[in-house]
Amino acid sequence: MRNLLVLLGLGAMLLPAQTKPLLTPKDYGQFETLGQMHLSPDGKWVAYAVIRSSRDNELRITDAAGASTKA
């Protein structure tokens, strides 16, 4: 039984590891960070910036209930 476990362990070490896909410059533009957020005086709307490394940034305005977003 012990020999079988040793063989299984060696077999697992010989299997090739899974490779992760490489990032390309095209992928970098998909990274997003949130910029400043502002709440409207009546508290019903939230405005925030979405900043992308591709510089395709946008300002999103969302109702505080989360029912709709305007980009």
Side-chain angles (χ1 to χ4, degrees):
M1 182 68 172
R2 182 177 177 185
N3 291 339
L4 179 61
L5 292 175
V6 170
L7 287 175
L8 288 175
L10 288 174
M13 290 180 6
L14 296 175
L15 293 175
Q18 291 181 347
T19 58
K20 296 181 181 178
L22 297 175
L23 290 176
T24 64
K26 183 179 176 182
D27 298 323
Y28 299 150
Q30 297 177 17
F31 295 145
E32 296 181 345
T33 57
L34 291 177
Q36 291 185 338
M37 295 185 202
H38 296 282
L39 185 63
S40 67
D42 63 3
K44 293 183 180 180
W45 296 94
V46 177
Y48 58 95
V50 176
I51 302 166
R52 295 185 184 93
S53 57
S54 66
R55 298 186 184 194
D56 185 21
N57 304 331
E58 62 185 61
L59 175 66
R60 292 185 184 168
I61 302 171
T62 305
D63 66 0
S68 66
T69 299
K70 299 179 190 305

